[in-house]
């Protein structure tokens, strides 16, 4: 079992030593082309160098903690048409930096992924939204391909939600428009509002299903168990690759520090339960997440790798993870 964190790496003082830098579309478009190229080069180079430094930190950790979701702003504003054209000219300088990240991750058994934003909706009933979603997925796929991935099924994970008014049929139609590399990497997860686990399982013949156990609890008020009849279907969708689940809990103060909260007993609005906690403060919920022994766990928690480290040591003490 691997435990991963998303996007930001914190040092012992909870500061980001290797931050990504971004800019706004408005600022970018206000510049002349030479200034635009200079800005994108500086931002992308910074981000790729800092991503490599982050991977170097992960390589020092136990194998069970070598898992990370890379931020989507690796190449800022890539899908803005004016920026896309400039990036094509910058690639001779940027590609070696991308390749170095991928080579290092593979050499040190670091599992990597992307998670395009909530506006990437392949099943939308708005064709323009679908076009932009496909463009966004392909941007993430390009980054992964330039890192040396996309060559075989699920050597890299690009995870999205399946929300959208066209449902599974819309998702299926958009999926077929993706490049072979993007189809190799795409996964789909259940959400806490519109798309249940049962809905997402309809896509299991297309791509792997990522189980988000907190989303399932928020939507259904149910703590799904590792022996649920749907778990084998999820595992099967990964076609022999170790599956991933997402684990988060509601914020501190909103749910008890012990036991399994029932939403009917809480005095907080359901919408507030969606936000993630700083740390995993409820050991009963930790035991629940760790009971999914066939899965790697992407930890969606605000304190990122610091929270993962605490969970790792708890799992180590409980015998759920072996130190190596």
């Amino acid at each position: 079992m691997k435990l991963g964190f998303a996007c930001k790496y914190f040092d012992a003082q909870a500061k980001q030593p290797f931050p990504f830098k971004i800019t706004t579309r408005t600022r970018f478009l206000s510049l002349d082309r030479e200034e635009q190229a200079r800005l994108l080069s500086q931002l992308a180079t910074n981000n790729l160098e800092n991503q490599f430094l982050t991977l170097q930190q992960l390589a020092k950790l136990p194998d069970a903690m070598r898992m990370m979701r890379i931020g989507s702003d690796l190449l800022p504003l890539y899908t803005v048409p004016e920026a896309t054209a400039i990036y094509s000219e910058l690639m001779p300088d940027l590609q070696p930096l991308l390749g170095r990240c991928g080579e290092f991750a593979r050499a040190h058994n670091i599992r990597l992924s992307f998670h395009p934003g909530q506006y990437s909706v392949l099943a939308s009933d708005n064709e323009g939204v679908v076009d932009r979603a496909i463009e966004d997925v392909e941007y993430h796929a390009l980054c992964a391909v330039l890192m040396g991935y996309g060559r075989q099924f699920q050597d890299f994970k690009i995870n999205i939600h399946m929300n959208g008014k066209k449902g599974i049929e819309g998702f299926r139609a958009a999926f077929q428009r993706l490049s072979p590399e993007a189809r190799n990497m795409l996964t789909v997860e259940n959400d806490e509002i519109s798309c249940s686990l049962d809905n997402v399982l309809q896509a299991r013949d297309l791509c792997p299903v990522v189980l988000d156990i907190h989303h399932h609890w928020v939507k259904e008020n149910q703590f799904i168990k590792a022996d649920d009849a749907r778990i084998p279907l999820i595992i099967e969708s990964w076609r022999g690759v170790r599956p991933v689940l997402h684990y988060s809990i509601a914020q501190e103060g909103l749910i008890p520090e012990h036991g399994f909260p029932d939403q009917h007993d809480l005095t907080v609005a359901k919408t507030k339960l969606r936000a993630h906690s700083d740390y995993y403060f409820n050991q009963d919920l930790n035991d629940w997440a760790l009971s999914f022994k066939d899965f790697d766990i992407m930890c969606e928690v605000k304190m990122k790798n610091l929270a993962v480290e605490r969970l790792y040591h708890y799992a180590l003490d409980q015998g759920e993870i072996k130190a190596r």
Side-chain angles (χ1 to χ4, degrees):
M1 178 183 289
K2 285 185 183 289
L3 305 174
F5 66 96
C7 303
K8 298 177 182 178
Y9 175 84
F10 291 145
D11 62 20
Q13 288 72 46
K15 295 181 180 179
Q16 281 185 261
F18 316 120
F20 279 12
K21 293 182 179 180
I22 60 174
T23 190
T24 64
R25 186 176 185 274
T26 299
R27 181 196 172 201
F28 169 74
L29 293 177
S30 72
L31 304 174
D32 64 37
R33 198 175 191 283
E34 184 176 339
E35 292 173 323
Q36 290 176 341
R38 186 181 305 113
L39 176 62
L40 292 182
S41 177
Q42 291 171 345
L43 294 175
T45 299
N46 170 85
N47 294 353
L48 290 167
E49 289 178 344
N50 279 356
Q51 182 60 54
F52 185 75
L53 292 172
T54 301
L55 294 174
Q56 287 185 315
Q57 294 302 309
L58 265 68
K60 299 175 184 178
L61 300 175
D63 185 78
M65 294 177 65
R66 297 184 189 180
M67 180 176 173
M68 181 185 183
R69 176 189 301 163
I70 300 174
S72 291
D73 289 318
L74 197 61
L75 305 181
L77 301 181
Y78 184 91
T79 56
V80 174
E82 293 85 351
T84 306
I86 292 173
Y87 272 117
S88 66
E89 300 170 5
L90 297 177
M91 274 307 163
D93 293 325
L94 299 180
Q95 187 168 350
L97 301 179
L98 284 155
R100 180 177 67 160
C101 287
E103 290 170 10
F104 187 87
R106 288 186 293 276
H108 293 86
N109 195 29
I110 300 172
R111 188 171 192 178
L112 297 177
S113 64
F114 281 124
H115 194 339
Q118 61 180 325
Y119 300 110
S120 292
V121 183
L122 292 181
S124 174
D125 59 347
N126 182 315
E127 285 304 312
V129 170
V130 175
D131 291 343
R132 289 190 292 275
I134 290 173
E135 186 178 52
D136 193 32
V137 171
E138 293 291 359
Y139 152 66
H140 289 84
L142 173 66
C143 290
V145 166
L146 293 176
M147 284 190 279
Y149 296 99
R151 299 174 180 176
Q152 58 189 23
F153 179 76
Q154 282 303 309
D155 58 1
F156 194 104
K157 168 173 160 274
I158 300 176
N159 184 65
I160 64 171
H161 293 193
M162 201 183 76
N163 53 326
K165 291 184 178 180
K166 285 195 171 181
I168 181 58
E169 294 310 316
F171 184 86
R172 187 179 298 277
F175 181 86
Q176 300 301 335
R177 293 172 57 189
L178 294 173
S179 66
E181 293 81 7
R183 293 199 299 269
N184 260 344
M185 292 184 273
L186 199 73
T187 65
V188 62
E189 73 168 294
N190 57 298
D191 68 55
E192 70 274 57
I193 301 174
S194 62
C195 199
S196 69
L197 176 58
D198 291 329
N199 294 143
V200 170
L201 279 169
Q202 297 176 89
R204 68 184 186 274
D205 64 314
L206 298 175
C207 62
V209 171
V210 170
L211 169 63
D212 190 307
I213 57 178
H214 179 64
H215 286 171
H216 187 78
W217 175 72
V218 172
K219 185 169 177 58
E220 310 289 349
N221 194 23
Q222 176 193 63
F223 290 93
I224 189 170
K225 296 182 179 180
D227 62 358
D228 187 283
R230 290 166 289 189
I231 299 303
L233 299 179
I234 295 171
I235 294 174
E236 181 183 337
S237 73
W238 286 82
R239 306 175 204 171
V241 175
R242 187 174 178 88
V244 175
L245 67 77
H246 292 177
Y247 173 42
S248 56
I249 62 176
Q251 291 180 325
E252 288 84 348
L254 298 185
I255 61 173
E257 295 184 4
H258 304 283
F260 294 82
D262 186 327
Q263 292 177 30
H264 297 118
D265 298 331
L266 302 177
T267 58
V268 61
K270 184 172 182 174
T271 54
K272 291 189 175 182
L273 297 175
R274 296 163 56 191
H276 300 162
S277 64
D278 290 337
Y279 289 95
Y280 294 121
F281 57 86
N282 183 318
Q283 302 296 23
D284 293 304
L285 296 183
N286 290 341
D287 290 338
W288 167 56
L290 293 169
S291 72
F292 291 85
K293 301 180 187 298
D294 295 322
F295 290 73
D296 286 346
I297 300 176
M298 175 54 67
C299 299
E300 297 185 320
V301 61
K302 289 183 178 178
M303 293 309 294
K304 309 297 182 179
N305 56 293
L306 299 182
V308 171
E309 185 176 359
R310 290 188 186 183
L311 182 62
Y312 166 77
H313 286 293
Y314 176 77
L316 202 62
D317 291 341
Q318 298 300 308
E320 299 292 351
I321 287 178
K322 295 181 180 180
R324 64 184 179 93

